[in-house]
Amino acid sequence: VAHIAGLLQQPCRPRGLTAVRQHQLQAAAFVGAQLTDADISDVYADSRISEFVKDYLVPLGITSMLDTVIRVSGEMVGVVCLESVGQKRVWNPDEVTFAGEIADQAAQTLINAERKKAQSELEQVNEQLQTAVQKLEEANQELKNFVYIASHDLREPMRKISAFGAMLQKSLSGN
């Protein structure tokens, strides 16, 4: 486990993150409509994050954590983790609300990025459809031209046959 530029990189899923995902943390508290998933004032006494102690918490001097899940469409997509070094702290309601707001902003950013991606894909599909419509219109015009020529080519012999038939009828009737 490594702490890089504020990100926790890990090859496995520690119990702490599993607990966050399943909303089983005992310290969960509701702040308005937001669920703050972990308010851990003493990280060394909390067994849910014991995998983090040796390689993450101790080297960085972290004593307290406040974790809030980032959710998009009801699914956990990340965690905002506020950490305190030095003295242990109990997170006050404003800090809990702040963490929830950061998580909401991160979720909105992800939603906006997904919307922009979908909009771009939609524009590409629309361009492809416009190209296909243009090709169909061109093919339809070519077909109309062909039908006009074929119709003209068929009408001319029919006129001659009709004219010949009229002459033949006139000649047979004796006029």
Side-chain angles (χ1 to χ4, degrees):
V1 178
H3 186 266
I4 302 172
L7 298 175
L8 180 63
Q9 306 293 321
Q10 65 193 21
C12 63
R13 179 177 288 281
R15 285 190 318 255
L17 288 181
T18 300
V20 168
R21 175 171 222 116
Q22 298 171 356
H23 308 293
Q24 293 176 343
L25 298 177
Q26 295 172 354
F30 282 97
V31 177
Q34 296 293 3
L35 174 64
T36 301
D37 295 291
D39 178 353
I40 303 170
S41 58
D42 184 357
V43 296
Y44 302 108
D46 197 311
S47 63
R48 297 170 297 176
I49 56 172
S50 61
E51 295 99 324
F52 294 119
V53 173
K54 179 182 172 193
D55 296 324
Y56 179 67
L57 301 172
V58 170
L60 296 172
I62 297 168
T63 55
S64 302
M65 296 172 60
L66 173 61
D67 292 351
T68 302
V69 172
I70 300 168
R71 290 182 187 82
V72 173
S73 300
E75 293 292 320
M76 178 181 146
V77 296
V79 177
V80 171
C81 184
L82 304 180
E83 299 165 339
S84 177
V85 295
Q87 293 182 356
K88 296 174 190 170
R89 69 179 296 146
V90 175
W91 301 93
N92 68 49
D94 288 341
E95 293 166 325
V96 172
T97 299
F98 179 70
E101 292 297 324
I102 291 173
D104 288 346
Q105 289 298 314
Q108 190 60 51
T109 299
L110 293 170
I111 290 167
N112 289 344
E114 187 63 32
R115 184 180 41 80
K116 285 180 183 178
K117 179 182 173 189
Q119 181 66 31
S120 176
E121 290 171 357
L122 180 61
E123 288 170 3
Q124 285 179 337
V125 168
N126 279 337
E127 287 175 15
Q128 291 170 348
L129 286 173
Q130 286 176 350
T131 299
V133 165
Q134 184 178 359
K135 288 180 180 179
L136 285 171
E137 287 173 348
E138 290 170 2
N140 192 33
Q141 186 59 45
E142 288 176 13
L143 185 58
K144 284 180 182 180
N145 292 341
F146 171 77
V147 167
Y148 176 78
I149 292 169
S151 173
H152 180 280
D153 288 350
L154 290 174
R155 275 186 275 154
E156 189 58 30
M158 289 302 291
R159 278 189 219 135
K160 289 183 180 181
I161 290 171
S162 180
F164 181 73
M167 286 173 34
L168 186 61
Q169 187 177 20
K170 190 176 186 182
S171 130
L172 290 175
S173 65
N175 289 338

